[in-house]
Amino acid sequence: LVDVSCATSVVPQLLAHFLAEHKAIPFQSCAAQLFFSLALGGIEFVLLAVMAYDRYVAVCDALRYSAIMHGGLCARLAITSWVSGFISSPVQTAITFQLPMCRNKFIDHISCELLAVVRLACVDTSSNEVTIMVSSIVLLMTPFCLVLLSYIQIISTILKIQSREGRKKAFHTCASHLTVVALCYGVAIFTYIQPHSSPSVLQEKLFSVFYAILTP
């Protein structure tokens, strides 16, 4: 649901702009697009950490998996992920669209992406950049560190498995998740964790394609 919604918040408008000569988006639609993309992105980051914990239990504590990862815990972890995303997003969207957009209001991006909208402001945006940094640390770096800790334990356990078939099965349990983790966190960290030294606009567009389309 998160992946489908994340793609849906960006791709239909992107396709419409491919076909339109005048590529415009209403102010309210741009704000809504930013709100949902930020919220769903935050949910994705936390969910990936939750999934890493699930893999950790499956590989490192397999005999107690069903007892640990019971329905109640899964529901609480999923709810926590959704709440985390929807707490940060309204704050980021509100402070971004309160900025005076004095420039030509041409968003040089594939969507109403956070850094692209902030660049339209004709005032000092250092407070916005601090907010982006804090939000990135809480919703991006913290889950990423939890994922790293989980996989350190997982790899350590896999290396101790005697049978080749057992190691292969354990690796297959984690392979698809690890691929998405590398794409999702890698692109987001490179884009958001250092707004002052952010990549070029072209790189941002390419990263957005990875994040909004390829990862889901």
Side-chain angles (χ1 to χ4, degrees):
L1 177 61
V2 172
D3 286 336
V4 169
S5 301
C6 187
T8 304
S9 69
V10 174
V11 175
Q13 185 70 57
L14 177 64
L15 295 176
H17 282 167
F18 280 151
L19 300 173
E21 184 176 348
H22 182 57
K23 307 179 193 305
I25 183 170
F27 181 86
Q28 293 83 357
S29 298
C30 187
Q33 188 180 70
L34 179 62
F35 170 82
F36 283 108
S37 62
L38 287 175
L40 294 162
I43 295 167
E44 179 92 1
F45 296 142
V46 180
L47 269 180
L48 286 172
V50 170
M51 292 167 69
Y53 176 69
D54 175 76
R55 267 60 173 184
Y56 162 76
V57 176
V59 174
C60 302
D61 206 355
L63 295 178
R64 296 199 304 140
Y65 177 81
S66 57
I68 296 173
M69 298 302 294
H70 54 83
L73 177 62
C74 290
R76 288 194 294 272
L77 291 172
I79 291 169
T80 301
S81 302
W82 282 79
V83 170
S84 300
F86 278 104
I87 285 177
S88 171
S89 178
V91 176
Q92 291 277 21
T93 304
I95 64 173
T96 299
F97 280 91
Q98 283 178 353
L99 291 170
M101 307 295 180
C102 312
R103 298 184 184 178
N104 59 9
K105 299 184 181 179
F106 172 75
I107 300 174
D108 189 12
H109 211 279
I110 67 169
S111 66
C112 289
E113 196 270 339
L114 180 59
L115 296 179
V117 176
V118 169
R119 277 197 295 266
L120 298 180
C122 59
V123 295
D124 179 44
T125 59
S126 56
S127 60
N128 293 75
E129 291 171 1
V130 170
T131 306
I132 293 170
M133 179 68 70
V134 172
S135 178
S136 298
I137 291 171
V138 174
L139 281 179
L140 180 57
M141 293 307 298
T142 302
F144 180 64
C145 289
L146 293 174
V147 170
L148 283 181
L149 288 173
S150 296
Y151 271 102
I152 289 170
Q153 294 294 324
I154 289 170
I155 292 170
S156 176
T157 301
I158 289 176
L159 293 176
K160 294 176 184 176
I161 297 174
Q162 298 297 322
S163 69
R164 182 179 177 183
E165 190 63 30
R167 288 196 298 271
K168 186 177 179 182
K169 183 178 180 181
F171 175 74
H172 283 169
T173 302
C174 307
S176 60
H177 177 254
L178 198 55
T179 304
V180 174
V181 163
L183 281 172
C184 194
Y185 283 115
V187 168
I189 288 171
F190 197 72
T191 303
Y192 291 110
I193 206 62
Q194 292 181 323
H196 277 298
S197 57
S198 58
S200 69
V201 174
L202 178 58
Q203 286 176 322
E204 279 185 24
K205 292 177 185 178
L206 291 174
F207 291 160
S208 294
V209 170
F210 272 91
Y211 179 76
I213 300 172
L214 183 61
T215 303

